Amino acid sequence: MPLTLNTLAELSGLASEHVLREEVEETGTPPEAILSKMAERLAVMRDSIRRGLASDAPSVAGLVGKNAKTLWEAPDPLQDPLLKRVQAYAMAVNEENARMGRIVAAPTAGSAGTLPGALLGVADHLGIPDERLLMPLVLAAGVAKMIGRVIHIAGASGGCQAEIGSSAAMAAAAVTELLGGSPEASAHAAALALQNTLGLVCDPVGGFVEVPCVMRNGFYAVHAVSAASMALSGIRSVIPPDEVVLAMAGIGRLLPLELKETGLGGLADTPTGRRLAEEALKKT
């Protein structure tokens, strides 16, 4: 039987070990090859963060392009380097995506910053080396696979809850395992992150993956770290993880077309949103 978040929560050892074993059994790919691929993807994540933090070049539509660098270089009035790092890393990746730079879709391009923002941000904050991030990345991929068995992970299918919700669930599970959490804690971290994105619409201004997508990744990377913190403290989702995924899928089916990546509703349908879309279209 394929892994689900519920069955994952019932297992012992590292959650990522079970995900890796399932992938080996299903595809016949040696574990060393899978981990090598994760190392390659981690390197791409690192590079997209580096480029995004250093660049203030405009995006394709000109709606974003300097937010990550601005935050990274700004004074930190909260004196909270983890919060700032996680947000800036996530936004850096998505601004690189908006510039048509190379990123890792995790699980989509529009939600690509959440996982590296949370996982690499926490790791760098704590001085954890990259080699310890490979198995948490395997777990993150496994969480996306489990969600993907229930609903297509796309804003056009289920709204932004299907994209950023899934990425937050992936990131929460990965951070939980990185910090010593059990499979149960990791599964519930994913559920806590996902349930608090339910109903989130996909409303990109002009149809570009820029506003509100870039800063949304910054917010939900922090959201994922919060879910991991709760799960590591012993907090569990009252609703079982699999049922949270089912709820998200049901809500996605109920969302109107205007709120599913069409650029016809939400922020995209505000007077300013429509004006910016018209201006952006003239530039592209």
Side-chain angles (χ1 to χ4, degrees):
M1 178 182 293
L3 278 177
T4 69
L5 289 175
N6 276 6
T7 58
L8 188 69
E10 298 168 355
L11 300 173
S12 59
L14 288 176
S16 58
E17 292 175 347
H18 299 285
V19 171
L20 183 61
R21 188 177 304 116
E22 180 183 68
E23 186 67 13
V24 170
E25 291 172 354
E26 288 185 357
T27 67
T29 306
E32 296 80 10
I34 295 171
L35 291 176
S36 176
K37 179 63 68 175
M38 286 300 168
E40 292 174 9
R41 291 174 180 171
L42 178 60
V44 174
M45 289 178 178
R46 280 274 179 218
D47 190 52
S48 61
I49 289 171
R50 178 190 59 77
R51 287 182 281 113
L53 294 179
S55 177
D56 56 9
S59 60
V60 170
L63 301 176
V64 296
K66 60 182 180 181
N67 295 297
K69 182 180 180 183
T70 295
L71 177 61
W72 188 241
E73 295 179 350
D76 186 2
L78 293 176
Q79 296 297 301
D80 190 340
L82 175 60
L83 175 66
K84 180 177 177 177
R85 184 182 295 274
V86 167
Q87 289 177 319
Y89 278 20
M91 291 162 61
V93 172
N94 278 85
E95 288 195 321
E96 277 301 293
N97 175 62
R99 296 186 190 99
M100 297 296 140
R102 189 175 184 221
I103 54 93
V104 176
T108 66
S111 60
T114 305
L115 174 59
L119 183 62
L120 277 67
V122 168
D124 288 356
H125 177 71
L126 297 176
I128 297 173
D130 279 359
E131 55 264 29
R132 285 182 52 192
L133 305 184
L134 300 184
M135 289 301 284
L137 282 176
V138 168
L139 174 56
V143 169
K145 186 177 180 180
M146 293 173 215
I147 295 172
R149 287 170 175 153
V150 179
I151 183 173
H152 293 298
I153 298 178
S157 175
C160 200
Q161 57 164 6
E163 292 201 20
I164 207 79
S166 296
S167 67
M170 294 163 64
V175 171
T176 299
E177 176 163 298
L178 178 68
L179 300 182
S182 65
E184 180 192 22
S186 294
H188 280 269
L192 290 168
L194 184 59
Q195 69 184 245
N196 286 291
T197 66
L198 295 182
L200 190 63
V201 303
C202 187
D203 55 348
V205 171
F208 298 101
V209 188
E210 300 188 15
V211 175
C213 315
V214 168
M215 282 179 276
R216 185 170 284 173
N217 275 264
F219 279 106
Y220 278 93
V222 175
H223 174 88
V225 175
S226 296
S229 177
M230 290 183 184
L232 287 164
S233 76
I235 292 173
R236 298 294 179 258
S237 173
V238 174
I239 307 301
D242 284 355
E243 293 182 31
V244 174
V245 177
L246 288 170
M248 186 263 279
I251 293 168
R253 287 189 288 270
L254 292 171
L255 285 175
L257 182 66
E258 290 81 3
L259 301 179
K260 292 183 181 181
E261 208 173 0
T262 57
L264 298 175
L267 293 176
D269 194 37
T270 60
T272 298
R274 292 192 297 271
R275 175 179 58 78
L276 290 173
E278 291 175 3
E279 293 174 357
L281 287 170
K282 294 176 182 177
K283 300 176 184 177
T284 58

